[in-house]
Amino acid sequence: MNDQDILTHIQALVEEEHSLREGAPEGQAPDQARLKYVEESLDQCWDLLRQRRAKKDSGDNPNDAEARPISEVEGYRQ
């Protein structure tokens, strides 16, 4: 997977997130389980993209970057 593939996947997840939030009937909450999955997947994709860019900037192979577990990514402080 290259940077463009990751960005394309991020865009698809963002669109799904918006659809989930806006597509819920008036007064009803969106599918919380699916929304949580999409949000966590977005965080994981952004983390992978940052890893790839950092490796490239430091002269390392960006293909050596690996997606970290959601439990690790979600534990980061912002």
Side-chain angles (χ1 to χ4, degrees):
M1 186 177 269
N2 62 37
D3 290 0
Q4 188 56 50
D5 293 336
I6 296 169
L7 287 168
T8 299
H9 189 61
I10 287 171
Q11 184 59 40
L13 288 168
V14 167
E15 289 173 9
E16 182 177 357
E17 180 184 28
H18 289 173
S19 176
L20 285 167
R21 291 184 188 281
E22 296 167 3
E26 188 67 32
Q28 292 185 3
D31 178 349
Q32 292 300 315
R34 182 63 189 174
L35 187 58
K36 182 176 189 241
Y37 172 80
V38 169
E39 290 171 341
E40 290 172 342
S41 295
L42 273 167
D43 290 344
Q44 195 175 35
C45 287
W46 280 116
D47 177 67
L48 178 58
L49 188 61
R50 283 190 294 273
Q51 283 184 67
R52 290 180 56 81
R53 289 177 174 171
K55 285 188 177 293
K56 184 178 178 183
D57 289 347
S58 67
D60 293 334
N61 184 349
N63 292 327
D64 291 341
E66 295 181 7
R68 295 180 179 140
I70 289 175
S71 60
E72 183 176 340
V73 173
E74 289 298 305
Y76 294 152
R77 292 184 182 165
Q78 295 186 10

